[in-house]
């Protein structure tokens, strides 16, 4: 057991990506706006410094949402934490306006997030991985006023235990690899792309392949084609060419804050319709501009008679074997179902992600968490896991709520509003807890 801290926080946030950063900002603004009703908060992030999908900060990659969907604007357009406030502070507001573009680069948005996190840095500890959330040893859940959060210092300086009345889990997406495929020095998932790429001598990369037909795959394929002019680049894609991400105005309404209510309070059929008709706003799809860039490169190859970009349509990876320095990849071609092998110097699996999963962190607390008939968490509208009544403390999710709150759960589109809703809920909960704690006293009066 590590060091024990004595303060009991109103809320501890696990993970400090954009979602919990947005919550930290919401709580910070609440403190400034309503002195005397401060909520004490601490956030723990396992990365050594702030980083938002750093390994995919490719030079020309742009945001997939408007800059207005920043950490705060949809909740409070007057907040000093907006993207526009950041541009103003950076002296770039006129130039940004001249650029007439709603979609900044990911690199610029990353700088904005870094600027915002620096202003709430007193609330976050980096290099700190939360390993478990639990009730205090031997505690009765009905009287336990706090949970214990075990935090491991990633540099090996031990663990400590933090107490909190509420926990907000926001640990992000979980990488998905093709069956039978493990990451190593020549087989990479897109989430580790730049780090692993930079470890290689580019001259050694003469045959590279990228698996997947989503945004990550298309961006990495374009990057490798441009960075490695001597290399042959294969795009292994399950569809018949890349399909476009629908970001037209009517379809984009699925990311509006009001769509969360329509999804949450809708019927099973409503929810199913969201996925059936609008999955192509986000999954296995690519921005129009990137598709056109790739097609242009492929066509220019044909004109020059030097084909370097090889698109294998209707093809899935079914396994990978190491053969010395080469990576032997088994490919299943959808056209006739045949399986054949190709050797590459490096294989990038841009094969997407699974949804955030809190079960491992919650350990024994899981027995208080109610689940639906398919085994997924029941979640309240305020993003609190529905727990059996004896658990007084609150367990909130930012992420992992696609089945209850819809498509925005894993995205940035709604974080300003969502974190405001979570902050409001946490602020309201001490009052609820007092009511709960008063009940036994009243029952006692009635009985007496
Ligand atoms: P995120 O994954 O960003 O953060 C989770 C954090 O928790 C990480 O920093 C992780 O290190 C930390 N963590 C995990 N376990 C921990 C533990 N046990 N203890 C402590 N810390 C822990 N969406 C969108 O709307 N618009 C966009 O433009 C994009 N662009 C985009 C680009 C790329 C390359 C990807 C892969 C994804 C996107 N997305 C997106 C979707 C993406 O999910 C979203 O942008 C945010 O990353 C969601 O923020 P979160 O804070 O929820 O998760
Ligand atoms: P994704 O959209 O889930 O795409 C994964 C792709 O991998 C799909 O085409 C999938 O095909 C394919 N795949 C999975 N297993 C395979 C196999 N064994 N063989 C061949 N193909 C396989 O994942 P993503 O592209 O990483 O995108 C995830 C999220 O990040 C999205 O929200 C996206 O918008 C976001 N993103 C944003 C940016 C940006 O902001 N610029 C950049 C990158 C990503 P099936 O569907 O057939 O399984």
């Amino acid at each position: 057991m590590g060091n024990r801290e004595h303060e009991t926080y109103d809320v501890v946030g696990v993970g400090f990506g954009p979602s919990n950063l947005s919550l930290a900002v919401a709580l910070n603004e609440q403190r400034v706006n309503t002195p005397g009703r401060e909520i004490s908060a601490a956030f723990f992030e396992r990365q050594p410094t702030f980083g938002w999908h750093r390994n995919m900060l490719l030079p020309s990659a742009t945001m997939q949402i408007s800059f207005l969907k920043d950490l705060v604007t949809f909740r409070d357009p007057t907040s000093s934490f907006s993207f526009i406030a950041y541009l103003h502070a950076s002296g770039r507001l006129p130039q940004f306006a001249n650029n007439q573009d709603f979609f900044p680069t990911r690199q610029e948005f990353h700088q904005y997030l870094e600027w915002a996190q620096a202003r709430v840095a007193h609330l976050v500890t980096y290099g700190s991985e939360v390993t478990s959330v639990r009730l205090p040893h031997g505690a009765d859940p009905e009287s336990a006023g706090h949970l214990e959060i075990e935090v491991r210092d990633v540099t090996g300086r031990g663990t400590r235990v933090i107490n909190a009345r509420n926990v907000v889990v926001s640990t992000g997406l979980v990488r998905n690899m093709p069956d039978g495929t493990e990451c190593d020095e020549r087989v990479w998932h897109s989430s580790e792309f730049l780090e692993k790429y930079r470890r290689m001598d580019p001259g050694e990369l003469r045959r590279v392949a990228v698996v997947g037909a989503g945004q990550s795959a298309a961006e990495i394929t374009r990057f490798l084609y441009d960075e490695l002019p001597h290399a042959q680049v294969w795009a292994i894609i399950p569809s018949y060419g890349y399909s476009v991400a629908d970001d037209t105005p009517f379809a984009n309404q699925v990311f509006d804050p009001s769509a969360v209510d329509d999804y949450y309070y809708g019927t099973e059929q409503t929810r199913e319709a969201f996925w059936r008709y609008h999955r192509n706003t986000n999954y296995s799809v690519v921005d129009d501009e990137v598709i056109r860039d790739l097609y242009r490169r492929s066509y220019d190859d044909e004109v020059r008679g030097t084909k370097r970009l090889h698109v294998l349509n209707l093809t899935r990876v079914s396994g990978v074997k190491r053969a010395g320095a080469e990576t032997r990849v088994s490919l299943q071609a959808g056209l006739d179902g045949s399986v054949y092998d190709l050797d590459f110097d490096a294989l990038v699996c841009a094969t997407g992600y699974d949804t955030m999963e809190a079960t491992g962190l919650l350990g024994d607390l899981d027995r208080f968490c109610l689940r639906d008939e398919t085994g997924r968490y029941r979640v309240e509208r305020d993003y609190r896991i529905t727990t059996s009544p004896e658990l007084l403390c609150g367990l909130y999710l930012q992420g992992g709520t696609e089945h209850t709150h819809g498509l925005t759960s894993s995205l940035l589109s709604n974080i300003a509003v969502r974190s405001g809703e979570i902050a409001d809920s946490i602020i309201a909960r001490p009052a609820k807890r007092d009511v709960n704690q008063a009940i036994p006293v009243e029952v006692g009066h009635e009985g007496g």
Side-chain angles (χ1 to χ4, degrees):
M1 183 67 61
N3 293 332
R4 185 171 290 278
E5 288 185 12
H6 293 295
E7 175 167 8
T8 297
Y9 291 97
D10 290 312
V11 55
V12 156
V14 184
F16 204 63
S19 299
N20 267 350
L21 168 56
S22 179
L23 177 63
V25 170
L27 292 170
N28 195 58
E29 294 194 328
Q30 182 272 338
R31 182 182 61 80
V32 173
N33 295 338
T34 52
R37 289 187 59 216
E38 286 91 356
I39 291 286
S40 56
F43 293 84
F44 297 93
E45 165 58 51
R46 69 179 169 201
Q47 296 187 81
T49 55
F50 182 83
W52 173 56
H53 302 300
R54 273 185 191 276
N55 286 317
M56 283 294 293
L57 284 181
L58 305 176
S60 43
T62 57
M63 293 298 294
Q64 297 204 290
I65 48 166
S66 157
F67 69 87
L68 292 170
K69 295 185 176 180
D70 59 20
L71 296 167
V72 290
T73 298
F74 273 37
R75 180 181 74 249
D76 175 10
T78 67
S79 168
S80 72
F81 281 84
S82 67
F83 186 75
I84 290 179
Y86 155 74
L87 288 173
H88 186 256
S90 313
R92 272 204 315 276
L93 188 52
Q95 293 90 323
F96 183 83
N98 291 341
N99 205 33
Q100 299 183 16
D101 193 344
F102 263 64
F103 303 95
T105 62
R106 289 199 59 238
Q107 285 178 336
E108 184 175 27
F109 205 77
H110 199 279
Q111 286 173 18
Y112 156 64
L113 295 173
E114 286 179 312
W115 167 85
Q117 72 81 33
R119 296 174 60 199
V120 290
H122 56 288
L123 297 177
V124 53
T125 312
Y126 288 101
S128 299
E129 180 178 37
V130 173
T131 51
S132 77
V133 181
R134 61 188 181 223
L135 280 168
H137 184 65
D140 174 359
E142 294 198 48
S143 55
H146 69 266
L147 299 169
E148 289 184 347
I149 293 96
E150 188 165 296
V151 184
R152 183 180 71 88
D153 182 300
V154 299
T155 61
R157 279 181 289 182
T159 62
R160 56 190 173 133
V161 176
I162 313 289
N163 297 337
R165 286 180 266 277
N166 299 284
V167 173
V168 183
V169 180
S170 185
T171 48
L173 299 165
V174 179
R175 75 169 69 142
N176 171 58
M177 292 291 284
D179 287 344
T181 309
E182 306 253 314
C183 292
D184 65 21
E185 70 280 8
R186 284 174 186 266
V187 178
W188 316 329
H189 185 262
S190 53
S191 57
E192 48 182 11
F193 175 67
L194 280 178
E195 186 190 346
K196 290 239 172 125
Y197 174 77
R198 287 184 186 128
R199 280 191 217 155
M200 302 291 296
D201 169 1
E204 267 187 54
L205 296 174
R206 305 199 146 267
R207 293 167 58 88
V208 293
V210 182
V211 192
Q215 184 70 19
S216 298
E219 286 183 7
I220 292 171
T221 304
R222 178 175 64 178
F223 175 88
L224 290 173
Y225 182 92
D226 291 351
E227 292 289 308
L228 303 173
H230 55 279
Q232 303 291 311
V233 179
W234 273 263
I236 302 169
I237 65 179
S239 47
Y240 203 79
Y242 300 102
S243 289
V244 72
D246 185 351
D247 67 345
T248 51
F250 286 109
N252 220 45
Q253 294 177 132
V254 294
F255 302 116
D256 289 356
S258 57
V260 176
D261 280 334
D262 291 333
Y263 192 96
Y264 187 87
Y265 296 112
T267 62
E268 264 317 307
Q269 286 88 331
T270 320
R271 287 189 274 274
E272 198 269 324
F274 268 89
W275 288 106
R276 180 155 35 100
Y277 293 113
H278 301 294
R279 197 174 187 279
N280 71 341
T281 52
N282 186 46
Y283 290 106
S284 311
V285 287
V286 182
D287 281 352
D288 180 85
E289 165 247 337
V290 184
I291 294 178
R292 288 181 192 285
D293 267 8
L294 280 172
Y295 198 83
R296 166 63 58 192
R297 283 158 174 74
S298 167
Y299 184 73
D300 287 350
D301 271 2
E302 305 235 0
V303 173
R304 282 191 298 264
T306 53
K307 196 165 170 57
R308 287 209 299 123
L309 179 57
H310 311 273
V311 181
L312 302 180
N313 285 338
L314 300 178
T315 304
R316 300 189 78 84
V317 167
S318 56
V320 176
K321 277 189 224 108
R322 161 87 36 249
E326 286 202 324
T327 301
R328 182 151 299 162
V329 180
S330 297
L331 300 171
Q332 184 158 31
L335 285 174
D336 58 5
S338 59
V339 178
Y340 61 100
D341 290 349
L342 284 180
D343 290 340
F344 298 109
D345 300 318
L347 178 77
V348 189
C349 298
T351 42
Y353 297 83
D354 292 327
T355 188
M356 186 185 94
E357 181 45 82
T359 310
L361 266 186
L362 297 181
D364 187 47
L365 282 176
D366 200 58
R367 70 191 156 101
F368 300 105
C369 301
L370 305 190
R371 293 184 181 261
D372 66 17
E373 50 293 340
T374 61
R376 299 170 303 188
Y377 286 126
R378 291 189 188 280
V379 187
E380 304 293 321
R381 177 61 184 81
D382 62 4
Y383 300 93
R384 195 168 65 84
I385 299 178
T386 310
T387 50
S388 47
E390 66 265 31
L391 187 72
L392 289 183
C393 298
L395 301 170
Y396 291 80
L397 298 177
Q398 293 226 69
T401 59
E402 283 188 330
H403 61 296
T404 49
H405 292 69
L407 277 84
T408 52
S409 293
S410 68
L411 301 174
L412 302 179
S413 331
N414 195 40
I415 56 174
V417 173
R418 180 175 70 196
S419 51
E421 290 169 344
I422 293 174
D424 287 347
S425 170
I426 290 168
I427 292 162
R429 276 183 65 75
K432 282 188 196 151
R433 194 172 51 245
D434 291 345
V435 171
N436 284 341
Q437 283 170 346
I439 289 170
V441 178
E442 287 189 15
V443 169
H445 280 306
E446 281 171 16

